[in-house]
Amino acid sequence: MNKQIKLAPSILAANFSILKNEINSVSNADYLHIDVMDGIFVPNISFGIPVIKSIRPITNMIFDVHLMITKPHRYIEKFALAGADIITVHAEVCENLQDDLRLIKSCGKKAGVAIKPNTEIKSIYSVLQDVDMILIMSVEPGFGGQKFLPIALEKAKSLSNFLHQNDFLQNNIDIEMDGGINLSNVKLVVNSGANVIVAGSAIFNFPDRTKKILEFREKFSC
Ligand code: DX5
Ligand code: ZN
């Protein structure tokens, strides 16, 4: 599978007091990864619909919205209207995962399903026909700046093999990995089959983001 590798800086690691500048500082990346947390599914609260709505007009970047919220079907249409392009829900907290994915598609958006480090990759095989992207968490969701969990690599490999062996290649399903990814481990992540790479602190903790993003891209190509 030779998919284009996409880099998605996570604004969770940005300085919110100058959010517009922070977003513009990563405009040479592919997606903007937007972490929404409800304080119930994860032990943290970030931001929600009004923030997404207010940053929508300032950039053309693709908004990759990662919903870490319980029963996400309640808010999917609102996130779509606010300007999300890809909406990812967690398999662990959907009342009906397939219905939720179809709801995202019916809003004209790309549908993603995410799993936590302890959730088996097999648990989402039954919805592969309804997904554009699978997000494999490589940290426990809730916070940026955590250490990468290698179990995510095994899951991505199993998933890539499964997609190959079961004729899902023409479906063009992306594999995203999120949490603890940096310049030292990103090559392993890409080699495991992931092609959408989220990085928060490994980009926003450095003053020259344009350069950092180029350094990531160099790792993809070597
Ligand atoms: C964690 C979030 C991640 C996080 C990644 O719950 O889903 O997207 O922002 O941050 P880093 O790259 O710092 O681990
Ligand atoms: Zn995320």
Side-chain angles (χ1 to χ4, degrees), residues 60-73:
N60 289 326
M61 289 179 84
I62 291 170
F63 279 8
D64 171 29
V65 176
H66 177 191
L67 294 183
M68 286 163 272
I69 65 175
T70 46
K71 300 183 188 170
H73 65 271

Side-chain angles (χ1 to χ4, degrees), residues 106-127:
S106 75
C107 295
K109 308 299 175 182
K110 287 199 167 182
V113 59
I115 53 167
K116 299 209 286 182
N118 290 331
T119 302
E120 282 200 42
I121 191 69
K122 283 187 191 134
S123 65
I124 52 97
Y125 286 176
S126 60
V127 295

Side-chain angles (χ1 to χ4, degrees), residues 1 125 156-166 175:
M1 185 160 33
Y125 286 176
K157 282 179 199 157
S158 306
L159 174 61
S160 308
N161 288 339
F162 187 86
L163 295 178
H164 268 94
Q165 286 158 10
N166 293 277
I175 303 178

Side-chain angles (χ1 to χ4, degrees), residues 33-187:
H33 186 82
I34 302 178
D35 287 309
V36 177
M37 303 180 183
D38 67 353
I40 297 173
F41 174 55
V42 290
N44 197 9
I45 297 175
S46 56
F47 45 75
I49 295 154
V51 170
I52 296 176
K53 217 174 191 169
S54 68
I55 61 174
R56 184 63 282 181
I58 69 171
T59 177
N60 289 326
M61 289 179 84
I62 291 170
F63 279 8
D64 171 29
V65 176
H66 177 191
L67 294 183
M68 286 163 272
I69 65 175
T70 46
K71 300 183 188 170
H73 65 271
R74 298 171 296 158
Y75 295 103
I76 284 169
E77 280 161 297
K78 291 193 172 74
F79 280 103
L81 281 173
D85 296 297
I86 306 167
I87 300 178
T88 297
V89 293
H90 265 268
E92 298 88 358
V93 280
C94 287
E95 284 184 338
N96 185 320
L97 181 55
Q98 190 173 49
D99 285 355
D100 291 3
L101 294 167
R102 289 182 179 176
L103 177 58
I104 296 169
K105 298 264 218 186
S106 75
C107 295
K109 308 299 175 182
K110 287 199 167 182
V113 59
I115 53 167
K116 299 209 286 182
N118 290 331
T119 302
E120 282 200 42
I121 191 69
K122 283 187 191 134
S123 65
I124 52 97
Y125 286 176
S126 60
V127 295
L128 287 175
Q129 290 291 355
D130 295 295
V131 295
D132 298 296
M133 186 167 83
I134 294 150
L135 195 181
I136 299 176
M137 290 300 302
S138 40
V139 297
E140 285 300 334
F143 300 91
Q146 302 181 74
K147 196 168 174 288
F148 183 82
L149 299 172
I151 192 173
L153 300 174
E154 301 311 314
K155 286 189 197 172
K157 282 179 199 157
S158 306
L159 174 61
S160 308
N161 288 339
F162 187 86
L163 295 178
H164 268 94
Q165 286 158 10
N166 293 277
D167 285 338
F168 275 105
L169 290 192
Q170 72 279 8
N171 296 31
N172 255 327
I173 299 174
D174 288 313
I175 303 178
E176 180 172 54
M177 201 171 282
D178 180 11
I181 301 175
N182 54 44
L183 285 174
S184 312
N185 60 19
V186 69
K187 192 69 194 167

